[in-house]
């Protein structure tokens, strides 16, 4: 039995390119899954905070935040968001930056680690990103996070306890330390089988090609030179 390809994804739920990258990865894996010799793939999400100093309740909209954070004129930020919205639409995502509530994401990351233990990490990652980028939900608030956790099939009381206890914060910090060790300073970043690094929201076709190539490597008999 050939071992599955392991894809470790560093991302932030508040990163617009991360949601696009997630969807493109899924579409690429779906394309490869139609192959006669379909790759077996395991995807795990890891924590990365783009702006850890962001307050839970940020005063202002996304334009205000990016203009301040990146030191760019609002007009330039507006053009950048329009471009991202267009790329997201190509991936089948309807971004609503006019609704978006910028917030600190550390609690969302803690909840993702709780969901991983429960076998629901993929479902929660999708729910959180959709809520943030398309629904204008406030992901810095405990009640909102618990509601979204239940949408992803998690128990509400257990999710609330996980958030209130802070017991998953060490796991978040460990992910961030690993990102630093790998030299990751931007997301999304994909580490494939612990040896190949792919940066950015690559097209679906690129992900399909990568997993096919790595799967072929998995299928090579041990000791055979390329």
């Amino acid at each position: 039995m050939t071992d599955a390809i392991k894809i470790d994804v560093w991302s932030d739920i508040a990163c617009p390119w991360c949601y696009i990258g997630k969807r493109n990865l899924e579409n690429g894996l779906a394309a490869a899954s139609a192959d006669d010799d379909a790759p077996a793939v395991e995807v795990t999400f890891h924590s990365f905070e783009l702006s850890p100093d962001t307050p839970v309740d940020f005063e202002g909209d996304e334009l205000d935040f990016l203009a301040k954070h990146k030191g760019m004129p609002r007009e330039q930020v507006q053009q950048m968001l329009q471009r991202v919205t267009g790329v997201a639409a190509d991936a089948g995502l309807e971004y609503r930056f006019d609704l978006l509530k910028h917030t600190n994401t550390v609690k969302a990351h803690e909840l993702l680690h709780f969901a991983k233990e429960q076998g629901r990490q993929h479902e929660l990652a999708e729910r959180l990103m959709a809520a943030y980028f398309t629904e204008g939900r406030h992901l810095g608030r405990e009640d909102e996070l618990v509601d979204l956790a239940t949408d992803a099939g998690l128990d509400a009381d257990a999710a609330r306890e996980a958030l209130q206890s802070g017991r998953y914060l060490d796991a978040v910090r460990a992910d961030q330390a690993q990102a630093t060790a790998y030299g990751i300073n931007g997301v999304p970043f994909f580490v494939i089988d612990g040896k190949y690094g792919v940066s950015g929201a690559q097209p679906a076709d690129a992900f399909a090609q990568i997993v096919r190539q790595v799967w072929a490597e998995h299928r090579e008999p041990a000791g055979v030179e390329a």
Side-chain angles (χ1 to χ4, degrees):
M1 185 69 181
T2 303
D3 290 339
I5 298 169
K6 291 181 170 54
I7 301 181
D8 293 287
V9 185
W10 270 262
S11 65
D12 191 348
I13 60 96
C15 163
W17 292 105
C18 291
Y19 196 12
I20 294 168
K22 176 180 180 295
R23 186 62 84 248
N24 287 349
L25 173 64
E26 291 164 348
N27 290 337
L29 295 180
S33 72
D35 295 355
D36 289 338
D37 181 20
V41 182
E42 296 175 3
V43 179
T44 303
F45 292 98
H46 297 275
S47 303
F48 191 100
E49 290 180 272
L50 283 173
S51 305
D53 56 346
T54 303
V56 170
D57 294 301
F58 177 77
E59 295 294 333
D61 60 15
E62 186 70 352
L63 283 171
D64 294 325
F65 175 80
L66 290 173
K68 178 181 178 182
H69 187 68
K70 294 182 176 294
M72 295 164 55
R74 281 181 64 91
E75 296 76 14
Q76 190 176 348
V77 172
Q78 181 68 57
Q79 292 173 359
M80 182 178 70
L81 294 182
Q82 287 174 349
R83 174 173 169 261
V84 174
T85 300
V87 177
D90 290 340
L93 303 171
E94 186 180 351
Y95 279 8
R96 291 293 305 274
F97 286 109
D98 57 319
L99 301 177
L100 190 148
K101 295 178 175 60
H102 203 84
T103 188
N104 189 287
T105 61
V106 69
K107 284 297 180 184
H109 285 296
E110 290 178 44
L111 194 61
L112 280 166
H113 279 279
F114 165 70
K116 179 183 175 183
E117 275 192 2
Q118 305 300 312
R120 307 294 293 179
Q121 189 192 45
H122 287 210
E123 292 84 355
L124 184 63
E126 177 64 29
R127 188 67 195 97
L128 293 180
M129 287 180 167
Y132 188 78
F133 284 108
T134 73
E135 301 168 24
R137 302 283 288 270
H138 194 315
L139 268 59
R141 294 176 179 165
E142 182 181 292
D143 287 345
E144 287 273 55
L145 288 171
V146 171
D147 283 347
L148 296 168
T150 61
D151 289 349
L154 295 162
D155 179 77
D157 290 339
R160 192 177 298 277
E161 187 278 332
L163 289 170
Q164 292 180 345
S165 68
R167 59 194 167 92
Y168 292 94
L169 182 59
D170 285 348
V172 173
R173 300 302 182 224
D175 275 355
Q176 293 168 331
Q178 183 63 67
T180 300
Y182 278 145
I184 298 170
N185 52 27
V187 289
F189 196 94
F190 306 82
V191 176
I192 302 172
D193 276 350
K195 56 184 180 178
Y196 301 116
V198 178
S199 178
Q202 301 296 321
D205 288 348
F207 284 119
Q209 181 179 348
I210 290 164
V211 295
R212 285 170 176 143
Q213 175 188 329
V214 175
W215 187 241
E217 294 174 10
H218 277 225
R219 304 289 279 174
E220 290 174 0
V224 172
E225 293 294 333

